[in-house]
Amino acid sequence: GAENTNFVNVHGIDEEGHYTTAYDLAKITAYGLKNEKFKEKVNYFVFTFYLLLILIFIFVVLAEYVALTSSPVTFISTS
């Protein structure tokens, strides 16, 4: 089991006495991945996260392209 973990609440928000280690989290995750419903939720989250990163990247690239190819706006005085 998780020997260096103490959860004092169920939601995971930091609280005094609430701690864990990366090793214990890895053990908890490995156990959770044996459950098909848990695995589906994790895969959906990872897919959604990477899709969001790809969309942000595309937006940044398009914004840079527009900034580089747009001609600056100039105002001509009529006086």
Side-chain angles (χ1 to χ4, degrees):
E3 297 173 5
N4 297 309
T5 296
N6 184 48
F7 295 134
V8 294
N9 58 47
V10 296
H11 46 69
I13 296 175
D14 198 23
E15 192 172 313
E16 183 142 352
H18 188 90
Y19 60 88
T20 189
T21 63
Y23 181 71
D24 281 356
L25 286 177
K27 288 168 68 173
I28 292 167
T29 303
Y31 181 80
L33 288 174
K34 293 177 184 176
N35 180 303
E36 285 302 315
K37 289 205 179 264
F38 180 82
K39 193 186 299 187
E40 284 177 22
K41 298 290 183 187
V42 169
N43 286 338
Y44 177 77
F45 173 76
V46 170
F47 172 77
T48 305
F49 179 74
Y50 281 118
L51 182 61
L52 179 63
L53 287 178
I54 290 168
L55 291 173
I56 290 170
F57 176 76
I58 290 170
F59 175 78
V60 169
V61 168
L62 287 174
E64 288 288 325
Y65 175 78
V66 168
L68 290 173
T69 58
S70 297
S71 60
V73 176
T74 56
F75 295 97
I76 302 172
S77 175
T78 57
S79 55

